[in-house]
């Protein structure tokens, strides 16, 4: 980190600042030119709040030369992280996975029927929400613990590992047999939840917040990894833009950008990205072409009567043709 001081900074003020920095466990490289004084901070600057330094009267600019995230940073971990689920399914480092299933678990019949269908089409993880973050308090809030039990039944019947969303730490007791814990977009910066998931021995699927920058997403993953949990996947699920014709805007740039910055697997959710089932196939193909490690797609056996996100859910038949196209594109990509 480089701190450029204003020309009028007194020796006493500069020494005070140097002292403060050294007290935080770093050393300072002091450089005084004719018109500028620069302090170079050496050491672990990740824990330094640069806005505190920037706010000082004598400081002109603060420049980070190293990203504030360490554990998720590819610079310190060049190899791709590969996540291995209990039944051997792998995600990352060339291993591609399609997670599919309903937005919300609604009944035993719905989740098992959908699970069988997505498995037959090549999905290797079953998705399903039991605890649902809904914009309106009057909308269906999910089946809660009973929804998790039904997902576990579907896992038993099909052998598919399951991914489901957690909304607060107290719900962790229901996730003992859930294979991947999802943190939804609205909770990406629920730091207390992230800290709890940092000490859990399970993969986490961390979704990007509606208006979160790449760095904020990476810092949220850093929260989880700082607790010791190494198995984190990042999910681009569309962001808020000025466009109102679609539910969100899929930021495809996130895929190559994040893959360059981090070794963690990158997943795309084409369903929440556009909010329209018609967009799911093209967006899935675009994400695949961009080099994503996996997709999470909403599939419902009867979208017209779904209790949540019906308009963006594929019917099993369209999911089947979409999955076929995705696998075909992956084959073609081997040669390019
Ligand atoms: C979901 O996966 O059903 C969901 C609520 O997603 P997001 O958090 O991305 O809105
Ligand atoms: Mn949904």
């Amino acid at each position: 980190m480089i701190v450029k001081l204003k020309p009028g900074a007194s020796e006493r003020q500069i020494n005070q600042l140097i002292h403060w920095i050294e007290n935080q466990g770093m050393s300072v490289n002091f450089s005084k030119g004719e018109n500028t004084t620069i302090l170079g901070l050496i050491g672990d600057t990740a824990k330094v709040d640069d806005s505190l330094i920037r706010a000082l009267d004598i400081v002109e600019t603060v420049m980070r030369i190293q990203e504030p995230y360490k554990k998720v940073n590819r610079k310190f971990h060049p190899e791709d992280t590969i996540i291995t689920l209990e039944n051997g399914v792998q995600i990352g480092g060339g291993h591609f996975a399609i997670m599919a299933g309903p937005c919300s678990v609604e009944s035993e019949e719905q989740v098992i029927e959908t699970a069988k269908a997505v498995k037959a089409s090549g999905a290797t993880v079953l998705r399903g929400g039991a605890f649902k973050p809904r914009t309106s308090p009057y909308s269906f809030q999910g089946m809660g613990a009973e929804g998790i039990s039904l997902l576990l039944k579907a896992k038993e019947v099909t052998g598919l590992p399951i991914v489901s969303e957690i909304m607060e730490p107290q719900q962790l007791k229901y996730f003992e047999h859930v294979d991947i814990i999802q943190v939804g977009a609205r909770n990406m910066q629920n730091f207390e939840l992230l800290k709890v998931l940092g000490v859990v021995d399970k993969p986490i699927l961390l979704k990007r917040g509606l208006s979160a920058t790449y760095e904020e997403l990476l810092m949220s993953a850093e929260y989880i990894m700082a607790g010791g949990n190494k198995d984190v996947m990042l999910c681009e699920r569309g962001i808020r833009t000025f466009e109102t014709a679609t539910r969100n805007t899929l930021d495809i740039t996130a895929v190559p950008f994040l893959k360059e910055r981090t070794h963690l697997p990158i997943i795309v959710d084409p369903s929440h990205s556009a909010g329209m089932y018609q967009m799911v196939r093209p967006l899935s193909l675009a994400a695949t072409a961009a080099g994503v490690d996996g997709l999470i797609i909403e599939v419902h056996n009867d979208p017209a009567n779904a209790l949540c996100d019906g308009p963006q859910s594929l019917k099993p038949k369209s999911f089947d043709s979409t999955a076929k196209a995705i696998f075909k594109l992956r084959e073609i990509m081997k040669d390019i």
Side-chain angles (χ1 to χ4, degrees):
M1 188 186 288
I2 291 181
V3 181
K4 186 176 170 200
L5 302 182
K6 286 181 185 160
S10 73
E11 205 176 310
R12 189 182 57 84
Q13 286 171 311
I14 296 172
N15 284 337
Q16 261 177 0
L17 177 56
I18 292 176
H19 198 64
W20 181 82
I21 295 164
E22 285 173 346
N23 270 344
Q24 307 217 13
M26 280 159 296
S27 52
V28 176
N29 186 321
F30 182 76
S31 150
K32 193 166 170 56
E34 208 170 311
N35 299 311
T36 3
T37 305
I38 286 173
L39 307 181
L41 277 59
I42 302 157
D44 185 7
T45 55
K47 295 190 186 94
V48 179
D49 182 350
D50 47 0
S51 63
L52 278 181
I53 302 178
R54 196 169 282 120
L56 296 174
D57 275 351
I58 57 163
V59 172
E60 194 165 287
T61 48
V62 178
M63 227 169 53
R64 273 195 185 275
I65 50 167
Q66 220 168 39
E67 296 87 357
Y69 45 89
K70 297 264 186 261
K71 293 183 191 298
V72 309
N73 200 326
R74 199 183 270 285
K75 274 187 199 155
F76 304 106
H77 187 300
E79 300 293 306
D80 284 341
T81 282
I82 299 175
I83 292 177
T84 304
L85 305 180
E86 238 173 56
N87 70 341
V89 168
Q90 293 190 309
I91 309 170
H95 303 276
F96 179 83
I98 302 184
M99 313 180 200
C103 174
S104 306
V105 178
E106 297 169 12
S107 69
E108 181 169 335
E109 191 197 353
Q110 172 240 18
V111 71
I112 291 183
E113 201 178 294
T114 310
K116 283 181 180 166
V118 299
K119 184 182 180 185
S121 301
T124 45
V125 178
L126 172 67
R127 68 148 287 151
F131 300 98
K132 295 300 303 176
R134 302 305 300 277
T135 301
S136 165
Y138 308 115
S139 300
F140 174 59
Q141 301 286 306
M143 290 181 80
E146 203 189 333
I148 299 281
S149 304
L150 295 181
L151 276 172
L152 292 174
K153 241 183 207 168
K155 173 179 173 175
E156 205 180 295
V157 173
T158 59
L160 286 178
I162 55 177
V163 53
S164 199
E165 178 168 353
I166 192 168
M167 283 168 56
E168 48 127 352
Q170 278 86 345
Q171 291 164 354
L172 198 56
K173 55 181 177 283
Y174 303 115
F175 285 73
E176 197 186 334
H177 303 292
V178 171
D179 299 271
I180 303 171
I181 302 179
Q182 174 178 323
V183 176
R186 290 151 192 85
N187 271 314
M188 189 203 85
Q189 286 191 317
N190 181 340
F191 301 119
E192 290 308 312
L193 178 62
L194 300 179
K195 282 186 210 166
V196 168
L197 297 177
V199 292
V200 162
D201 188 20
K202 263 183 207 305
I204 309 296
L205 177 68
L206 177 66
K207 297 186 95 176
R208 181 179 181 186
L210 276 66
S211 315
T213 63
Y214 299 146
E215 186 166 299
E216 285 164 343
L217 173 60
L218 291 165
M219 289 306 287
S220 288
E222 186 81 12
Y223 257 93
I224 300 171
M225 291 194 75
N229 190 346
K230 293 186 168 69
D231 288 347
V232 183
M233 290 171 261
L234 305 179
C235 179
E236 159 59 36
R237 43 78 72 206
I239 49 169
R240 278 273 163 88
T241 67
F242 51 82
E243 182 55 72
T244 54
T246 51
R247 186 175 181 184
N248 294 292
T249 297
L250 175 61
D251 174 14
I252 210 78
T253 310
V255 179
F257 185 93
L258 291 171
K259 283 192 80 73
E260 196 184 279
R261 297 300 159 107
T262 181
H263 50 88
L264 299 174
I266 310 299
I267 309 295
V268 158
D269 173 345
S271 310
H272 292 86
S273 288
M276 297 154 79
Y277 76 91
Q278 298 94 327
M279 304 291 126
V280 172
R281 179 187 167 113
L283 296 187
S284 297
L285 293 173
T288 304
V292 86
D293 297 292
L295 295 160
I296 180 161
I297 301 177
E298 287 188 340
V299 180
H300 197 287
N301 58 342
D302 181 14
N305 291 299
L307 296 179
C308 183
D309 287 350
Q312 67 192 35
S313 299
L314 292 182
K315 289 180 182 163
K317 199 161 169 260
S318 328
F319 174 70
D320 188 67
S321 71
T322 300
K324 281 197 172 84
I326 294 164
F327 293 134
K328 202 165 179 180
L329 177 56
R330 292 224 8 117
E331 279 303 312
I332 296 167
M333 283 170 65
K334 283 183 186 158
D335 299 327
I336 53 174

